[in-house]
Amino acid sequence: AKLMPQIAGECMGLAQATNLLSHPQQARRKAAWFAIRAAWEAEQETVAAILNAINGWRLELARQRGGQRRLDALDLSCHQSQISRQTLDTLLRVTRERRSLGRRALKAKALALGLRDYGPWDLHAPAPVSEPKPIGFEQAIVLIAEIFAEFDPEMGAFVLMMAERGWIDAAPSQHRRTGAYSTEYVNPAEPRVFITYEGTVDNLTTLAHELGHAWHSWLLRDLPLEQRDYPMTLAETASLFAETLVRDALFERSQAVSERRIIASMDADSAAALLVDVPARFDFELSLVAARREGYVGASQLRSLMKSAMEQWYGDSLSRHDDLFWASKGHFSISEVGFYNYPYLFGYLFALSLYAQKVREGSGFAETYRALLTDTGRMSAEDLIAKHLGADIREPDFWHESLNYVEEAIVRFERLI
């Protein structure tokens, strides 16, 4: 919270500076990116100490718990995520095979923006059309509620209830943290959503994402406490499904090509983030855990590991790689859970599979979707998906089907530009 980037002489909070990364002017985005980077660079050794402490503690805990058997960090993560190691290996292998889709999305975005110097400061750039006038918070709530209600009336009513009860904290201020999240109280079982909302289309879809999390929690509120604790893999499914509902509805409602380009650009951004950025984070964390097992990992080594992972996944789709990403991304510093990355990839592709099922079944799928979410705290992902969808996520065909949907979205974006 003490980090206050200075941009063009103006001192501002991290959340506000981060919002500038989606500014339509590249010069403004670039200034924000370098200001944020400078703020974190001054604290890189502090963050390195945090990462070493967390990962050193995890390794020692695993050693003591393992006894004669060496516990692998990924095995522990899979146990927490309620998936098998075979499922994770299959998911990552298929993603690596088709990582060109993420790079293709980035190159299409660069082409759309007319940029040859497409850098990390451009990853959240808006579509190369005039951004529509800001969408007020109340307007956003009504819009999301309408779209959710088309799928499930109770899901739409839930959004209105969240807003009416003041369970969404969205007002911008100088001292807010970056990002958005959903959380919940145990007793009474009530969800809350946090977001710095400033009226962009990206803010709108992020709000829908977090409300998807909140809906998931709300469905489980009457279950025993131990059955309300679902893994991150399945948590991200609910949020990304909700986000996809809103994005597709916005695309279908749009009459102007410029509006459709904005939505299609967001689809491309998602493909790049989930098929390139997230796997790069995963590979970096694998390297970090291995290096920490040998001793303390300093900031310079962390920067080298980050750059290597970025190069492997982004390739030549970026003009520069953010070797300080490990400092600015709070996910690496969460003490409760390691590998806070691949569950987003799992959730993204699984949500697309669910969405495809919704398209096939129509309105009747809402009941299946509710039943699936209700079981997320008491079944493994493999058993859950076999029960409700009759599919085997340990096999590559399941993931390829979702990636085919991603490819269609990228083709749609390429045609529009």
Side-chain angles (χ1 to χ4, degrees):
K2 294 180 181 178
L3 293 176
M4 301 288 282
Q6 285 201 10
I7 302 171
E10 180 184 357
C11 193
M12 64 180 66
L14 271 176
Q16 292 172 305
T18 300
N19 272 344
L20 287 178
L21 295 176
S22 57
H23 195 279
Q25 296 176 4
Q26 189 191 43
R28 190 68 167 160
R29 296 194 301 270
K30 202 167 183 177
W33 188 84
F34 276 102
I36 293 168
R37 176 184 172 83
W40 281 112
E41 191 165 23
E43 302 292 339
Q44 60 181 314
E45 292 298 347
T46 301
V47 182
I50 292 169
L51 293 182
N52 275 273
I54 290 172
N55 285 280
W57 165 70
R58 285 188 190 136
L59 287 166
E60 177 60 18
L61 188 64
R63 185 189 69 78
Q64 292 190 28
R65 284 180 171 172
Q68 299 302 312
R69 181 169 61 94
R70 176 170 164 174
L71 291 177
D72 183 88
L74 268 186
D75 288 334
L76 290 169
S77 177
C78 286
H79 176 74
Q80 291 173 320
S81 295
Q82 292 178 207
I83 63 173
S84 68
R85 184 67 177 267
Q86 182 183 353
T87 293
L88 178 60
D89 291 345
T90 300
L91 169 65
L92 292 168
R93 184 176 69 253
V94 169
T95 303
R96 186 175 291 275
E97 288 171 3
R98 300 186 69 176
R99 62 184 157 180
S100 61
L101 286 177
R103 294 178 180 179
R104 186 171 154 188
L106 287 167
K107 290 179 179 179
K109 184 76 177 286
L111 179 65
L113 293 167
L115 297 174
R116 291 188 177 181
D117 176 29
Y118 189 81
W121 44 82
D122 297 313
L123 289 173
H124 303 289
V129 295
S130 299
E131 177 81 14
K133 61 182 181 180
I135 305 162
F137 178 73
E138 292 77 12
Q139 182 186 355
I141 289 294
V142 171
L143 183 58
I144 293 170
E146 286 178 356
I147 293 170
F148 282 5
E150 290 174 4
F151 170 62
D152 183 339
E154 286 191 34
M155 192 175 173
F158 166 78
V159 172
L160 298 177
M161 181 199 73
M162 286 280 293
E164 289 166 1
R165 296 189 180 184
W167 290 357
I168 305 172
D169 181 354
S173 76
Q174 191 179 38
H175 304 291
R176 295 167 76 86
R177 56 159 283 183
T178 56
Y181 64 87
S182 174
T183 189
E184 63 277 331
Y185 293 106
V186 173
N187 186 22
E190 297 173 353
R192 296 291 190 273
V193 163
F194 175 97
I195 180 174
T196 301
Y197 187 88
E198 296 188 300
T200 67
V201 176
D202 184 59
N203 286 164
L204 174 73
T205 56
T206 300
L207 179 57
H209 178 107
E210 300 307 332
L211 286 167
H213 278 307
W215 172 241
H216 189 180
S217 297
W218 188 248
L219 288 175
L220 305 184
R221 67 191 183 281
D222 294 326
L223 292 179
L225 183 60
E226 63 273 13
Q227 294 183 21
R228 283 153 48 190
D229 186 18
Y230 45 83
M232 207 185 122
T233 40
L234 301 175
E236 292 309 322
T237 295
S239 56
L240 289 162
F241 180 82
E243 187 179 329
T244 305
L245 275 176
V246 169
R247 274 219 297 264
D248 267 21
L250 290 175
F251 188 88
E252 293 303 320
R253 293 181 181 195
S254 300
Q255 300 299 319
V257 172
S258 60
E259 293 177 350
R260 291 196 158 201
R261 280 179 181 156
I262 292 173
I263 306 304
S265 176
M266 293 172 71
D267 283 333
D269 288 342
S270 291
L274 276 303
L275 300 182
V276 177
D277 182 56
V278 165
R281 296 184 213 174
F282 175 82
D283 277 4
F284 163 78
E285 191 162 357
L286 269 184
S287 300
L288 165 59
V289 171
R292 183 66 183 92
R293 190 175 284 115
E294 302 303 317
Y296 189 87
V297 189
S300 61
Q301 187 177 356
L302 288 169
R303 292 174 73 156
S304 177
L305 294 176
M306 189 83 257
K307 185 178 180 182
S308 175
M310 291 283 188
E311 287 174 344
Q312 287 182 45
W313 284 92
Y314 280 94
D316 63 353
S317 60
L318 283 184
S319 62
R320 173 176 178 157
H321 298 291
D322 185 2
D323 65 345
L324 264 175
F325 185 72
W326 53 271
S328 63
K329 195 63 181 178
H331 289 176
F332 295 121
S333 299
I334 297 173
S335 60
E336 296 91 339
V337 61
F339 294 97
Y340 201 100
N341 35 59
Y342 71 79
Y344 282 98
L345 174 60
F346 183 103
Y348 172 60
L349 296 180
F350 181 33
L352 291 180
S353 176
L354 287 174
Y355 196 78
Q357 192 81 0
K358 179 196 87 73
V359 172
R360 287 192 290 266
E361 291 188 22
S363 58
F365 183 69
E367 186 176 341
T368 301
Y369 181 66
R370 278 203 214 182
L372 183 146
L373 292 184
T374 303
D375 277 341
T376 50
R378 53 194 178 197
M379 302 179 76
S380 70
E382 288 83 4
D383 290 343
L384 181 82
I385 295 166
K387 175 183 175 181
H388 294 284
L389 301 181
D392 187 349
I393 60 174
R394 294 165 298 187
E395 296 298 325
D397 288 350
F398 178 87
W399 304 107
H400 277 299
E401 183 181 21
S402 295
L403 285 164
N404 291 340
Y405 184 92
V406 176
E407 187 165 12
E408 289 174 11
I410 293 172
V411 168
R412 182 173 71 179
F413 179 53
E414 289 170 337
R415 287 174 177 166
L416 281 166
I417 64 169

